[in-house]
Structures are given as C-alpha cells and as structure tokens.
Amino acid sequence: MNKILLVIQREYVTRVLKKSFWISSLLAPVLITAIYAIPIWLAMKDKEQKQIAIFDQSHLLKSADLQDKELVFTFTNVPEKAFKTQFAKSGYDAFVSIPVDVLSNPKGVHIYSSKNIGLNLKEAVERLIQNKVRQELMFKAGISVKVYEDTQVDIASETITVSENGGETSSSSAGAMILAGIMGLILYVTLLLYGSQVMNGVIEEKSSRIIEVIISSVKPYQLMLGKIIGVGLVGLTQFLLWIVLTIGLTQVTGKIYASKAKAIMAVDQGKASVDMRNVMQDSPMGEVTKVLESTNIPLILVAFLFYFFVGYLLYSSLFAAIGSAVESATEAQQFTFIVMIPIILSFLLAQYTMQDPDSTVAFWASMIPFTSPINMMVRLPYGVPMWELALSMSLLVVGFLACSWISARIYRVGILMYGKKATWKELSKWLFYKG
C-alpha cells in the first residue's frame, strides 16, 4: 500500500507543479464566465446608431413609422439611380429604395450599402417596411389593425416541478438541457484527455526504459494503479479549482452587472433595467439558474465528482493496458480506437437522453458502465430516482474492478515486452499467463 501511495504522490506532484496545469486551471473559469458575461455586457452597451437614407416612391411611410433605437432614418427626394452612388459620401450607412408598387411587389425593395451590411440591420429595415405594408393591406381589405394585433398571442408557459409534499419550484426544460449538455461535454472531453495522459505516460516510461528500474521495486499492478489514481487526483484538483474560481467570478460579475443595472434604471426610469433583467433571465445562464434553484446541488456535485473519478478509473485502466502493450503512440492507434468507441457512443446517446431522459434507451445508457458516466450526468438535472442512481454507481464500480483486473493482466506482461508488435491475439494470451 505504501508503494502505491508513493507512485500516486509522484504522479500527482510532477503534474500539479507544471505551468500548463495552472494556466489551464486559471484560464478555464475565465472562459466559462465570459460565455455568459460577454453577451450581457454587449446587451448593456449602447450600440452605435446607423444612418439610413430612404427614397419612398410609394409615399406610404411617415416619420412615425420609422422609429428604431438603433437606426436613424432620413427621407430623401433624390432619385434612386443618382443617389445610390452618393449616399456613402453624404454620411449614410445604407440607402433604401421603396418602389411605387410595394404593396403588390414587396420584393422590389432595394438596400444599397458600400459593403455587406449586417443581418440585424437588414432585418430591422425589412421589419419596419413590412409592418407598414401589412397595415395598409389590412386597411384596404377592411380588417382592423387592432383586431389583428389582438389575435397575435404568444404562449409562454412556465414549467413547475412539484414535490411529493406539494412544494412547487420554478424549473426550465431549456436550462436542464443546457446544464446536462455542459456536464456531458465536460465528462466526454476529460475522459479522453486524462485517459490518454495515462497511456502516454506509460509509453514514455517504457520507451525510455525507466520502467525497468521502477518495476524492480514496485509490482506492475501497484504501479498501474498508482499512476491511474495519481493522474485522476490531478483531474479532481483541477475540477475543484474550476468550480471554486467559476463560482467566485460569476458572483463578482453578477454584482458588477447589478450595480450597472441600477445606474441605468436611475437614468432611464427603469426601462433599460427591465430590458436588462429580461436579457439575463432569457439568457442560457438565466435558464440554468432556474434549474439550479429546483435541483439538489450537493447531489449534482457529488455525483459529478464520482462519475468523473470512477469513469476515469475505468477508461484509464484500459488506456494504461494499451500503453504497456506498445512502444510508441503510433502503434497505440489501432487499440485506442476500440477504447474510444464507447466514449463516443455514450456522447451520441447523450444527445438522445437529453431529448427523452426517461426513455428505455436513456435508462440503459445510464446503467451500462461504459456509457453511464456521461448519460447519468445528463439525466440528473431532469430528476432521477435514488435507486437508479445507486444502481448505476454500483455497476460502474463493478465495471472498473473488472476492467482493472483485465488491464493488470495485460500490463504485467506488456510493460517489459520489447521488439515485438502486440496484436489482439497476443493480448488475449497475456490474460491467461500465470505468475
């Protein structure tokens, strides 16, 4: 046991002291915070107004019809053919020409610009003209504009989770999907990342013959287990740093935006702050916040750490066995693809699980040890019975023990095998070697 602890200490310390570890640990929370902070900042930022010239041959539009906070419209009487080459010199960002027969020829509207205009600008201009044309057509058809607007109802339902004792909590299907997708993606990437680190470490030590010195005082299984657990603890340390730093950064960012929203409210009599509050509530992070309020956060965190660590142990034991059987990363490719297939498959199944978390496919995907780390974490934000969670965890532990036993049988032979390319037939023989 002491020898395993020494191997764990060596693997952990050498990796944690690397600059790359701290750079990635500090940079990731900043990027995660920026994902939701930057859109909110852009929404709060005053946008530059665009100057638009309009040549309206239909004479339908009035100044009152062209009210937009980001666009400033100016009517011009200069004909289209002459003004389309002069509008840029006059300081306009775009020139809009509306034909006489716009009611019967809505596609006859032309928007001129000195370069490709943004999609938002194009849609804003089209929306203003479209609304006026629609009103005019309804008026000619004898349809009241007010009656028409009253019939344009948008249904926006509120999802509520109800507990067994009758308690109600606001929830969000979109937020659950976002949270599930984030956790599934993180597990998918980290299982491949840290598993391949174990394999590359074994290959490096084997090719440099350092392994021959180490193996003289440590049993192969102890070395393999120590290496796997050491790298796994590095991953857990990095996750904990990400969680703490991300929570800290989001709290600071939230307070900064809250103070800015109050300032905007004082200037704009509350209208801008209401818009900002709607932006924050309708943003992806706002939807996730609703889910977090109705979710057992400690359970999510504990389950996440468990599925990451045990799922990592399962796959890294297989990667370690591959590393011991080959002498270079090139040789390892024929074997790593087989190990990667279940990881890729579990990520693909997670797409279906997010759509229907209570289906039979989702249930079995969250029970099979090779796919459960990602798929159970995808199901958790939607709510999973405790017996299913316990069964999934138990099966994952059993799966790790089985894989580690198989990997240890291969590792003890392959780690000292040189000059011979391993095949699947050869690996199967190593499983039954005695000694």
Side-chain angles (χ1 to χ4, degrees), residues 261-278:
K262 290 180 180 178
I264 294 174
M265 180 174 61
V267 174
D268 202 19
Q269 298 180 351
K271 181 181 178 181
S273 65
V274 171
D275 292 340
M276 178 51 52
R277 186 162 57 250
N278 292 335

Side-chain angles (χ1 to χ4, degrees), residues 209-230:
R209 299 299 178 101
I210 294 175
I211 199 72
E212 296 177 6
V213 178
I214 301 175
I215 211 70
S216 62
S217 56
V218 181
K219 292 181 179 180
Y221 182 75
Q222 292 175 327
L223 178 60
M224 186 190 79
L225 192 61
K227 183 177 288 291
I228 290 171
I229 295 176

Side-chain angles (χ1 to χ4, degrees), residues 115-397:
K115 57 182 180 180
N116 284 333
I117 62 174
L119 184 61
N120 288 340
L121 173 59
K122 179 176 182 293
E123 290 180 346
V125 172
E126 290 176 346
R127 183 175 60 253
L128 291 171
I129 300 174
Q130 178 179 283
N131 290 340
K132 185 60 180 179
V133 169
R134 181 181 289 127
Q135 291 176 10
E136 190 68 20
L137 290 173
M138 286 191 297
F139 176 77
K140 289 188 174 184
I143 302 173
S144 170
V145 175
K146 185 178 184 307
V147 172
Y148 172 79
E149 291 177 349
D150 290 342
T151 61
Q152 304 305 301
V153 179
D154 294 326
I155 302 298
S157 63
E158 180 183 1
T159 56
I160 302 171
T161 56
V162 183
S163 62
E164 293 180 357
N165 58 10
E168 297 183 359
T169 309
S170 178
S171 63
S172 169
S173 300
M177 181 174 289
I178 294 170
L179 182 60
I182 291 173
M183 292 191 295
L185 181 61
I186 290 174
L187 283 174
Y188 170 74
V189 172
T190 51
L191 286 176
L192 288 174
L193 176 64
Y194 292 111
S196 61
Q197 280 189 18
V198 172
M199 183 186 71
N200 292 330
V202 174
I203 293 175
E204 183 180 348
E205 290 179 351
K206 182 179 177 179
S207 59
S208 63
R209 299 299 178 101
I210 294 175
I211 199 72
E212 296 177 6
V213 178
I214 301 175
I215 211 70
S216 62
S217 56
V218 181
K219 292 181 179 180
Y221 182 75
Q222 292 175 327
L223 178 60
M224 186 190 79
L225 192 61
K227 183 177 288 291
I228 290 171
I229 295 176
V231 177
L233 290 175
V234 173
L236 276 178
T237 303
Q238 197 163 51
F239 271 129
L240 291 174
L241 284 172
W242 286 348
I243 292 170
V244 172
L245 293 174
T246 301
I247 291 174
L249 286 172
T250 51
Q251 291 293 326
V252 172
T253 306
K255 290 181 180 179
I256 293 174
Y257 283 152
S259 62
K260 287 186 177 182
K262 290 180 180 178
I264 294 174
M265 180 174 61
V267 174
D268 202 19
Q269 298 180 351
K271 181 181 178 181
S273 65
V274 171
D275 292 340
M276 178 51 52
R277 186 162 57 250
N278 292 335
V279 169
M280 296 181 71
Q281 289 175 349
D282 295 337
S283 67
M285 290 307 297
E287 296 294 332
V288 173
T289 301
K290 293 180 183 179
V291 177
L292 294 178
E293 291 174 352
S294 60
T295 304
N296 188 341
I297 303 302
L299 177 64
I300 291 284
L301 291 177
V302 170
F304 184 83
L305 295 176
F306 174 85
Y307 278 103
F308 161 73
F309 192 65
V310 182
Y312 154 79
L313 291 177
L314 185 151
Y315 277 104
S316 60
S317 64
L318 299 176
F319 277 113
I322 293 172
S324 68
V326 299
E327 296 181 28
S328 66
T330 305
E331 289 183 38
Q333 291 180 358
Q334 60 175 319
F335 300 108
T336 53
F337 181 70
I338 301 298
V339 179
M340 289 172 61
I341 286 177
I343 302 179
I344 297 172
L345 177 62
S346 62
F347 185 72
L348 295 176
L349 286 173
Q351 316 303 312
Y352 180 80
T353 301
M354 284 191 290
Q355 300 293 331
D356 192 1
D358 297 320
S359 65
T360 303
V361 173
F363 171 81
W364 286 109
S366 62
M367 293 298 154
I368 299 172
F370 290 103
T371 59
S372 63
I374 293 176
N375 283 271
M376 180 54 81
M377 286 311 304
V378 167
R379 288 185 66 199
L380 271 180
Y382 296 93
V384 175
M386 290 304 297
W387 71 268
E388 290 187 17
L389 183 61
L391 177 60
S392 175
M393 288 180 169
S394 301
L395 291 174
L396 183 58
V397 172

Side-chain angles (χ1 to χ4, degrees), residues 77-93:
N77 294 321
V78 183
E80 176 181 350
K81 187 175 182 180
F83 198 65
K84 68 180 180 181
T85 59
Q86 302 174 8
F87 73 92
K89 297 178 183 178
S90 303
Y92 293 105
D93 296 287

